[in-house]
Amino acid sequence: LAAARDCAAPAVVRGRAERVRGLAELRDGPVGDAHQSLLLAASLLAEDAPAEAASAALAAADAAWAAGDLSSCLATLSLGPAPVPPDAPALPGPAAPDAATGADGLPGAVDLAGAVDGAGPGGVPVPTDQPGHRHAADPRQAVDPRQAVVPRHATAPGHAAVPGHAAVPGHATVPGHATPGYAAVPSAVLAGGRTGGATPRTDAGARGGPGGTRVCGAVPDPVRDHRVGMRALLEGRLDRAAPSLGQVVERARTDDRPETLLRAASAALLLGNVDAARRAGARALAATRQSGSEALVPQALEYLAYAELRAGRHPQARAHAEEGLRTALRAGQRNTAAHHQAVLALAASIEDEPAAVARHVTAALATARRHGLAQAATLAEWAAARADLGRGRPQDAADRLGLLVLPGPGRGHFAVWRLAVPCFVEAAALAGRPDDTHEVLTDFAGWAAFGADPQAAAQLARCHALLAPPDRADDLYRRALARHDEAGGDFERARTALLYGKWLRRRRRPREARGRLGTALAGFDRCGAGVWAAQARAELRALGAAPQGGGAGTLTGLTPQQLRIARHVAEGATNREVALTLAVSTRTVDYHLRKVFAVLGVRSRLELARMVEHADRTRGDRRAGDRM
């Protein structure tokens, strides 16, 4: 009877029910199921609610992104013709649309309301399986997030099948990059494809022309621009992606709706504009709380955490992810919680917290493997490998990272694995396996030239320095440091300075080595990278130099806020009392106190009090000596 009632209900009613189901599955269920539900919703809503249909289609692309299915993501983004901005350059190919070309002149665009070969219900094309490829859209298949990637010879819409890569039409238009066959997927984004969770406002009168309602011609601009820009970027067409995504970011300046701000944060991440992503994410978080949209709070915190992580501000990323994890679990959003667990694992991987890394990696992978979250799985595996590398286990790190970055069916998420390439090159070089790096380093060079990741050029020079003969390495290390100065970011610059200092020490250039290692130590201390700071101290001790500042047993490595909290706690104040005194939350005090304990190497409040007392006494004795 229920099935009969469902069939008798208007299409728009059934479409909205499927959309609600799909969005729920996207946050807390197998993303393959979410993809199918959202595609069905888009089909059912296309005739009477085109704006809602477009939102459902964008959310379906989000599900394919989370699963790491590039072919399915591109196919979903191709649903419905999207008009090209009038100032956009023409692409090669037929000028007029035909049966295989939409009104935007791009291959694969179809009408949601029209019938197509092999289409699912309502004319929505359901991706068919290619040999050796398991689509996340098929709920009958258990999706392994390590397998939910585009195979080496798969042909995505608009891509030519080139062994090892998807050829990108028009890719040579990207300044400084004319390498054919490079799939310019925006791996700077981390979270950039998570776009469909917000519910847009339906604009009245948004209807298509004769012969059926076309989704893209009828949707509000934010949805259309986001979809067009995201698709163009995935196809390597930065010249077309930037205007559309830029419009999404710009619109957030005058629109305070949570969904608009969330889209702006996502679009900014896609473009690698970390500062814009942070601003939009912060405003989205405030807007969701003010409007009572509690279900969107975990996603706003996720974007903020990713933006801080991309900027190298690990403590801030960790704070956002900790809050995001709590809100996601309270809201029953296990998929979002898995992404926050992955961020926490990455933040902990630079600190001296192996137990925390293992805990967060295990939690993230448990959900990722069950629900097909290739993106979260890749980030978690990268975190585990980076922790191995930081603790001086390059062989283990190379083994783990090789599974993520080397070509093959187990390669990591298409928009994430390149971020792990610098770690892999370092691990492989230190483990005596430089030959393993050549293919991925060529690919990473193309990604660095793409220009969406500000750290990539410096990381590329560092990778080349690690593999170069002695007569070239010196210049490459200097070039890498110069590019770090342009890009900013303490952690990556400190890693390069550490490797350069190690190289100088092995070449018996102790004075230069001490300078580079001291710079590395200061950078690691500033960003709380305790496990990496320990490497720098060990190298300085090997040179017979006492590490200056920031070491365990001193207070100089603390930030001003951490120092204030340490002093209050040393005087016997509780965390709540400290919070009231400093006008911050108890959670903030808890977070900073953990950092204080890690930096100082203490295990109890009593040890902290003794250290503060000793530091104050030493400083007093020094001042007395100066007066004498």
Side-chain angles (χ1 to χ4, degrees):
L1 289 177
R5 282 196 302 271
D6 288 343
C7 290
V12 68
V13 174
R14 289 183 286 130
R16 284 170 177 159
E18 284 294 333
R19 183 168 176 271
V20 169
R21 177 187 302 171
L23 291 176
E25 291 167 337
L26 186 57
R27 293 168 178 153
D28 187 35
V31 290
D33 293 353
H35 186 261
Q36 288 222 353
S37 294
L38 290 163
L39 283 180
L40 177 57
S43 170
L44 293 169
L45 292 167
E47 183 68 28
D48 298 310
E52 294 179 54
S55 175
L58 194 57
D62 188 7
W65 178 291
D69 190 339
L70 178 58
S71 294
S72 187
C73 189
L74 278 165
T76 305
L77 290 169
S78 298
L79 295 175
V84 175
D87 57 345
L91 284 176
D98 54 25
T101 308
D104 59 355
L106 299 178
V110 296
D111 255 335
L112 279 178
V116 294
D117 292 338
V124 177
V126 178
T128 57
D129 285 345
Q130 301 175 38
H133 182 48
R134 296 158 59 181
H135 278 285
D138 187 350
R140 296 170 300 176
Q141 299 185 14
V143 179
D144 182 346
R146 299 185 60 79
Q147 304 294 329
V149 293
V150 178
R152 299 184 67 195
H153 300 280
T155 304
H159 288 56
V162 176
H165 301 288
V168 181
H171 183 52
T173 61
V174 178
H177 181 42
T179 305
Y182 172 65
V185 176
S187 50
V189 299
L190 288 182
R194 297 173 55 78
T195 58
T199 303
R201 183 176 63 189
T202 303
D203 290 356
R207 296 297 302 268
T213 300
R214 289 177 179 267
V215 167
C216 287
V219 300
D221 284 348
V223 179
R224 182 194 64 220
D225 289 344
H226 205 145
R227 187 178 65 80
V228 170
M230 184 177 172
R231 179 184 172 196
L233 198 60
L234 288 176
E235 292 178 341
R237 298 167 177 179
L238 188 60
D239 57 334
R240 286 196 171 182
S244 294
L245 293 174
Q247 284 294 321
V248 178
V249 175
E250 183 65 24
R251 192 171 287 110
R253 294 178 181 272
T254 56
D255 193 332
D256 289 330
R257 289 177 296 173
E259 62 273 9
T260 303
L261 294 166
L262 285 170
R263 281 201 191 90
S266 174
L269 285 168
L270 279 165
L271 291 171
N273 189 339
V274 174
D275 289 337
R278 290 173 64 225
R279 289 193 298 270
R283 289 183 58 209
L285 180 59
T288 55
R289 286 170 169 163
Q290 184 175 354
S291 64
S293 306
E294 293 300 317
L296 298 180
V297 169
Q299 188 177 0
L301 288 164
E302 180 187 344
Y303 288 154
L304 274 172
Y306 279 131
E308 298 290 8
L309 199 66
R310 292 299 301 128
R313 292 184 281 265
H314 292 77
Q316 292 89 333
R318 178 172 180 167
H320 291 312
E322 285 176 338
E323 185 179 358
L325 177 60
R326 287 190 294 269
T327 58
L329 292 175
R330 281 200 303 267
Q333 298 179 16
R334 286 176 293 177
N335 291 354
T336 310
H339 283 270
H340 284 298
Q341 292 278 16
V343 172
L344 289 171
L346 280 165
S349 70
I350 75 167
E351 303 165 357
D352 197 7
E353 299 184 33
V357 175
R359 183 173 68 253
H360 293 308
V361 167
T362 299
L365 289 178
T367 301
R369 288 169 176 160
R370 186 165 57 249
H371 290 171
L373 304 172
Q375 181 178 337
T378 302
L379 293 171
E381 293 282 10
W382 176 27
R386 193 164 75 173
D388 284 337
L389 185 58
R391 295 179 67 81
R393 295 196 290 264
Q395 187 70 50
D396 294 341
D399 289 342
R400 192 186 294 266
L401 286 165
L403 296 175
L404 295 181
V405 307
L406 294 176
R411 178 178 269 184
H413 188 279
F414 63 83
V416 179
W417 68 262
R418 286 183 185 85
L419 297 176
V421 167
C423 277
F424 173 68
V425 172
E426 180 178 340
L430 296 177
R433 295 159 48 182
D435 292 344
D436 293 350
T437 68
H438 297 319
E439 185 171 356
V440 294
L441 198 53
T442 300
D443 197 304
F444 188 74
W447 164 242
F450 189 63
D453 184 354
Q455 293 290 340
Q459 291 172 325
L460 178 64
R462 180 176 76 204
C463 290
H464 284 310
L466 276 164
L467 302 171
D471 61 328
R472 293 188 57 233
D474 203 341
D475 180 62
L476 286 167
Y477 275 122
R478 291 176 184 274
R479 187 182 309 173
L481 290 171
R483 289 180 175 172
H484 280 304
D485 290 339
E486 297 171 3
D490 285 334
F491 179 62
E492 289 299 328
R493 192 185 195 286
R495 285 181 67 180
T496 299
L498 173 63
L499 289 168
Y500 190 19
K502 289 181 176 180
W503 184 87
L504 290 167
R505 186 174 75 82
R506 290 196 302 271
R507 297 297 177 283
R508 302 183 184 278
R509 294 160 61 179
R511 180 177 298 178
E512 295 172 86
R514 276 193 293 270
R516 298 301 181 185
L517 293 169
T519 298
L521 178 57
F524 289 138
D525 280 337
R526 276 196 299 271
C527 61
V531 67
W532 298 84
Q535 285 193 35
R537 292 191 188 96
E539 290 289 325
L540 285 167
R541 282 193 294 269
L543 285 169
Q548 298 295 314
T554 74
L555 303 183
T556 55
L558 301 180
T559 66
Q561 181 77 321
Q562 291 168 352
L563 184 58
R564 284 191 288 270
I565 291 172
R567 291 192 179 283
H568 283 298
V569 170
E571 292 169 0
T574 65
N575 288 12
R576 181 175 177 78
E577 290 169 342
V578 175
L580 291 172
T581 301
L582 299 179
V584 298
S585 69
T586 306
R587 188 184 309 132
T588 298
V589 174
D590 293 342
Y591 169 74
H592 284 300
L593 194 56
R594 283 198 302 272
K595 300 295 296 181
V596 168
F597 276 43
V599 170
L600 300 182
V602 298
R603 296 176 179 273
S604 69
R605 290 172 177 255
L606 180 59
E607 287 185 47
L608 175 60
R610 288 171 178 166
M611 185 171 291
V612 171
E613 180 184 359
H614 174 73
D616 289 343
R617 186 168 57 249
T618 301
R619 187 171 63 251
D621 292 344
R622 187 181 300 116
R623 287 176 178 171
D626 291 342
R627 286 194 297 270
M628 294 177 62

